[in-house]
């Protein structure tokens, strides 16, 4: 591949982008529906999505959401959320 990435890695990155957009859209909800987010992002189920998020970020979805809201190191995610 011209990118130096395997097809598997490229698909994982594409899924991550879809998931992140859905994740950001659901931020305003009190209790976002993880199963709905998973299906909308192309995952088989919620546990598959959680494993993917942990592998990509090292955090659970709930912890990642909290970090995006409160931790200065995650400011870029807040900015990204304002764009979408």
């Amino acid at each position: 591949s011209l990118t130096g990435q395997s097809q598997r890695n490229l698909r994982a990155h594409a899924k991550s982008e879809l998931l992140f957009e859905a994740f950001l859209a659901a931020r305003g909800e009190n209790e976002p529906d993880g199963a709905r987010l998973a299906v909308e992002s192309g995952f088989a189920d919620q546990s598959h999505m959680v494993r993917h998020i942990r592998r990509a970020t090292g955090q659970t979805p709930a912890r990642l959401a909290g970090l995006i809201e409160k931790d200065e190191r995650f400011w870029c995610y807040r900015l990204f959320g304002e764009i979408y």
Side-chain angles (χ1 to χ4, degrees):
S1 152
L2 297 174
T3 64
Q5 298 287 320
S6 68
Q7 285 290 73
R8 183 179 186 177
N9 284 347
L10 291 173
R11 279 193 299 274
H13 287 303
K15 261 190 177 176
S16 293
E17 287 183 21
L18 288 174
L19 174 58
F20 192 63
E21 289 175 22
F23 187 71
L24 289 173
R27 273 186 11 191
E29 300 174 15
N30 287 337
E31 289 291 323
D33 182 1
R36 180 179 52 81
L37 286 175
V39 169
E40 288 175 356
S41 303
F43 292 93
D45 55 31
Q46 188 172 351
S47 63
H48 181 208
M49 177 188 73
V50 170
R51 286 191 307 273
H52 181 85
I53 292 172
R54 276 193 175 153
R55 197 170 34 253
T57 68
Q59 308 293 333
T60 65
R63 175 114 171 98
L64 182 59
L67 289 169
I68 288 171
E69 291 299 322
K70 297 177 180 147
D71 193 317
E72 188 61 31
R73 294 173 294 175
F74 289 80
W75 69 269
C76 58
Y77 292 103
R78 290 192 297 268
L79 181 63
F80 194 67
E82 291 174 11
I83 294 170
Y84 288 98

